[in-house]
């Protein structure tokens, strides 16, 4: 495959497997979630947000090239911020605050679903254990995130009286960051997955894997909070499921 | 031990074990090294410099606290720089350039001594595998580095006609960075090693370990380039040992 063919194949994976297509997101963005379901989503997704800098530092710790480390460091800055109460994790907590969730409960992550934890931990492990090329490629879901974020912001603001623009400040900041990061990572895999067809297959498989991580997180939410509403003991229980 | 007693015990370790006391440093700073010995030192020490951001990213990847990650990120900035040709690694290459070493040879690290590689790799592994408290504590040799750096700068400038101020730009930048980092790490271990006496012993052992890493690097240099001058096959061979 040429670089452009590889890019087309990556975009094709997104078109089929990105979690934008999951039934739970259709509900979330279309205004069909209860407040409890939106709370469960934000609480579980917090664990993903909190682990992202750990995932990114794990990638930096494997890169023997100063330039790659410097570029990837921007992701740490985006998520951990330059100062306290700055950065993506702090902004996600504004969302969980606005949804009426207890901050200590959210940050402890003790009420998340096991399915959320397994999926996120599998992602961190993937980045630590696979090749650096696969680790970079697994970040490429960012190629597709600006669209889902814009749908999410407009959909959630239009449909839920308990969601305010201030609560969604995380999503306002993300698209330019994600765009910059996805451009870099796409260019990286196009430049580095050139030696063998096997390398390109590993790149495609890494993106499929990452799509599965995001998809599995929504499967776990759907199972616990939509249908059949089986909530594991110890996990968050919305008011209307008590 | 109180926090202050712990600090005193840490400083006592430095007074006895820090590599400032090694015979090779006495020679280096006192003007008793040949140019070949200075080259061998800079070439081997490059590997340490190059692995420091990998060590620091490994620590960040283990920290579940955004504030600790944010603080430790400054070390990545110091070593990898904000832009290309900036940062500690780039400045170390100015030194090896000035000493007439081939940059490709230096960056490949293929001519370093096995003893250098084993010591540095042991340090990275320590930070990845021990507790976070021990990983932080192992950085505390920075408490002692401003003194050695000032001795090194004045000693090397006074004693070697082939060393210029520009070549030593790395050392000019380090003392304020090292001071800031050491203050943070010392405060961290004083605040966190409070639950059991065993924790304080682990902190002390971590600093002893790190002193051994730096010491072993100089032992390897001394053995290969001072006495008995046994250079392993493949390692850097100065002109006057050929």
């Amino acid at each position: 495959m040429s670089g452009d063919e590889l890019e087309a194949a990556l975009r094709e994976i997104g078109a089929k497997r990105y979690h934008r297509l999951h039934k739970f997101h259709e509900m979330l963005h279309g205004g069909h979630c209860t407040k409890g379901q939106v709370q469960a989503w934000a609480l579980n997704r917090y664990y993903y947000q909190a682990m992202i800098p750990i995932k990114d530092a794990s990638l930096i710790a494997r890169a023997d090239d100063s330039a790659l480390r410097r570029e990837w460091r921007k992701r740490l800055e985006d998520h951990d911020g330059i100062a306290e109460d700055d950065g993506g994790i702090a902004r996600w907590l504004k969302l969980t605050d606005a949804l009426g969730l207890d901050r200590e409960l959210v940050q402890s992550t003790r009420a998340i679903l096991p399915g959320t934890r397994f999926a996120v931990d599998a992602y961190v492990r993937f980045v630590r254990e696979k090749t650096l090329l696969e680790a970079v490629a697994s970040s490429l879901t960012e190629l597709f995130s600006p669209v889902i974020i814009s749908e999410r912001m407009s959909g959630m603001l239009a449909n839920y009286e308990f969601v305010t623009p201030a609560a969604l400040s995380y999503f306002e900041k993300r698209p330019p960051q994600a765009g910059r990061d996805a451009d870099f990572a796409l260019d990286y895999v196009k430049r580095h997955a050139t030696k063998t067809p096997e390398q390109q297959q590993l790149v495609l498989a890494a993106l499929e894997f990452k799509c599965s991580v995001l998809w599995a997180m929504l499967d776990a939410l759907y199972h616990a909070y939509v249908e059949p509403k089986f909530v594991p003991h110890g996990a968050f229980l919305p008011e209307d499921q008590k």
Side-chain angles (χ1 to χ4, degrees), chain A residues 12-118:
Chain A
E12 181 67 18
I13 289 170
K16 286 182 184 153
R17 296 180 183 233
Y18 191 52
H19 65 165
R20 180 185 168 216
L21 302 169
H22 196 285
K23 179 78 182 161
F24 190 90
H25 269 163
E26 221 177 287
M27 289 177 59
L28 179 70
H29 304 155
H32 305 298
C33 280
T34 62
K35 183 170 181 183
Q37 288 164 342
V38 178
Q39 287 177 317
W41 167 74
L43 176 106
N44 276 272
R45 171 84 185 201
Y46 173 81
Y47 184 61
Y48 179 81
Q49 300 303 136
M51 292 301 282
I52 287 298
I54 288 178
K55 181 272 293 183
D56 287 322
S58 299
L59 191 147
I60 294 172
R62 304 187 54 201
D64 59 9
D65 173 16
S66 222
L68 175 59
R69 291 196 300 264
R70 203 160 46 230
E71 181 64 34
W72 217 267
R73 206 175 65 212
K74 293 176 189 164
R75 295 169 183 247
L76 295 184
E77 290 165 14
D78 291 343
H79 290 280
D80 282 329
I82 306 297
E84 215 184 317
D85 285 328
D86 175 39
I89 296 173
R91 280 192 287 274
W92 196 271
L93 289 169
K94 286 185 193 166
L95 172 63
T96 56
D97 285 351
L99 292 171
L101 292 163
D102 180 66
R103 200 175 256 231
E104 190 277 322
L105 179 74
V106 173
Q107 292 187 290
S108 76
T109 76
R110 67 176 179 270
I112 66 170
L113 297 166
T116 304
R117 192 177 303 278
F118 299 154

Side-chain angles (χ1 to χ4, degrees), chain A residues 20-21 25 28-30 145-157 159:
Chain A
R20 180 185 168 216
L21 302 169
H25 269 163
L28 179 70
H29 304 155
S145 75
V147 172
I148 203 176
I149 286 178
S150 105
E151 287 174 355
R152 181 174 299 154
M153 287 193 69
S154 57
M156 290 182 75
L157 285 172
N159 291 303

